[in-house]
Amino acid sequence: MHVFRTIAEMQAAARQWHRAGQTIGLVPTMGYLHAGHLSLVALAKADCAVVVVSIFVNPTQFGPTEDLARYPRDFERDAALCREAGVDAIFAPEPAEMYAADASVWVTEEQLSQPLCGARRPGHFRGVTTVVAKLFNAVLPDVAVFGQKDAQQALVLQRLVRDLNFPVDVRIGTIHREADGLAMSSRNVYLSPDERRRAVAISRGVRAAEAAYAAGERDGAVLCAVAHNAITAAGGRPDYVELRSRHDLRELAEASEPAVLAVAAFFGATRLLDNTFLG
Ligand code: PAJ
């Protein structure tokens, strides 16, 4: 398995693979890998001759009061997991390799990135779209795989690819969960044992909303209240629980078209995401 630290080395390898007729699949990550990330690697491996995992804790997508400095990092563990999973190369640049000190070009998406996490984390999606565009230019992938766990991010990045004509086929992998249902996340390590036990209420709430939908409930306020109540009953603090169009993230009063019920909730100081598709 190769480890590339510079954009020039990464691009040179990518060009060589392309010349050899090999398709390249990219799984962008911020590291501290878990089985959810590895499920995306498996999707990439199924379709691509060469799989690259990028590991880069991207400073530009963190707000000034967020967890950039303490975001969990363990490169040796990540590298071992990638090797076991049959990853061909890791692209792991330092921040200074990715961003010139006077960098002044940004990639912004101006519609899908407005609500939900965009409203709570100003500048977050500008950082995500910019770094993913840069990762595409470094890795030159044919396929890029993202997770539905970050449903809004996946939609924003599909729009990035469409609107800037990146020659990249975007695939979205389903949400990988712990045995009790909690969506896997690198940030789950922040939870105290007590918070970890209670945080399962997020996925339980999402499942309860799914069950209400399956039983015929279509009222957005009711569906959201079902998830909201499960979280507050466990001592969590919902940041948002919203029913939105899966197509354009418009807020929906009723689940009358393909919808996403999107949740962000705090347990202690840790903010966790979950969601489900309805319809
Ligand atoms: P990160 O949080 O490391 O996630 C990397 C990828 O793994 C994302 O596409 C995310 O949706 C997916 N993922 C996370 N948890 C998952 C789970 N439980 N099941 C399946 N997939 C899961 O998302 C980012 O990094 C960054 O914003 C990034 C896209 C790398 C840009 O910096």
Side-chain angles (χ1 to χ4, degrees):
M1 187 178 72
H2 305 272
V3 176
F4 300 116
R5 298 281 180 183
T6 69
I7 294 165
E9 285 172 319
M10 184 66 246
Q11 286 171 333
R15 288 203 196 91
Q16 214 166 348
W17 289 322
H18 281 309
R19 269 197 302 274
Q22 293 181 299
T23 55
I24 302 175
L26 170 63
V27 181
T29 81
M30 298 203 299
Y32 216 70
L33 302 179
H34 51 67
H37 294 119
L38 298 176
S39 71
L40 307 184
V41 168
L43 281 181
K45 276 189 74 74
D47 285 348
C48 301
V50 173
V51 173
V52 179
V53 170
S54 63
I55 297 178
F56 180 61
V57 182
N58 172 36
T60 65
Q61 69 187 76
F62 288 79
T65 63
E66 293 182 356
D67 56 342
L68 172 63
R70 67 186 194 108
Y71 194 85
R73 294 162 167 89
D74 188 342
F75 183 79
E76 290 314 317
R77 180 171 160 276
D78 288 347
L81 288 170
C82 285
R83 212 174 285 115
E84 265 171 55
V87 168
D88 299 281
I90 293 176
F91 177 51
E94 291 297 321
E97 173 69 10
M98 286 296 274
Y99 292 106
D102 60 349
S104 57
V105 176
W106 297 91
V107 179
T108 59
E109 193 287 330
E110 302 194 344
Q111 187 186 324
L112 301 170
S113 58
Q114 297 304 307
L116 302 173
C117 287
R120 275 85 181 172
R121 304 182 66 188
H124 169 68
F125 282 115
R126 181 180 83 150
V128 171
T129 43
T130 299
V131 82
V132 169
K134 290 165 69 68
L135 290 169
F136 286 172
N137 284 334
V139 180
L140 309 174
D142 301 283
V143 170
V145 188
F146 299 97
Q148 189 212 314
K149 213 280 245 124
D150 302 276
Q152 182 179 22
Q153 172 173 277
L155 277 172
V156 166
L157 294 174
Q158 285 172 311
R159 185 64 64 89
L160 167 79
V161 163
R162 188 197 75 178
D163 286 0
L164 293 187
N165 311 109
F166 279 103
V168 176
D169 184 0
V170 173
R171 312 271 166 85
I172 308 298
T174 56
I175 304 177
H176 223 75
R177 297 179 180 281
E178 302 286 356
D180 66 355
L182 180 69
M184 288 187 182
S185 165
S186 305
R187 289 189 166 99
N188 289 351
V189 303
Y190 295 152
L191 297 167
S192 70
D194 174 58
E195 289 163 354
R196 170 64 188 84
R197 272 191 294 277
R198 292 186 287 113
V200 69
I202 302 173
S203 59
R204 237 191 258 129
V206 165
R207 265 199 235 132
E210 279 172 359
Y213 179 87
E217 183 60 61
R218 292 294 180 271
D219 187 316
V222 174
L223 291 166
C224 291
V226 165
H228 196 279
N229 292 343
I231 293 163
T232 54
R237 184 164 60 80
D239 193 21
Y240 61 71
V241 180
E242 293 181 24
L243 184 74
R244 289 186 172 264
S245 160
R246 214 152 77 209
H247 172 64
D248 59 11
L249 293 185
R250 259 178 311 111
E251 189 149 27
L252 297 178
E254 294 214 347
S256 51
E257 59 178 279
V260 56
L261 188 121
V263 178
F266 286 95
F267 276 79
T270 305
R271 184 175 175 278
L272 302 173
L273 302 184
D274 204 338
N275 69 81
T276 186
F277 287 174
L278 300 178

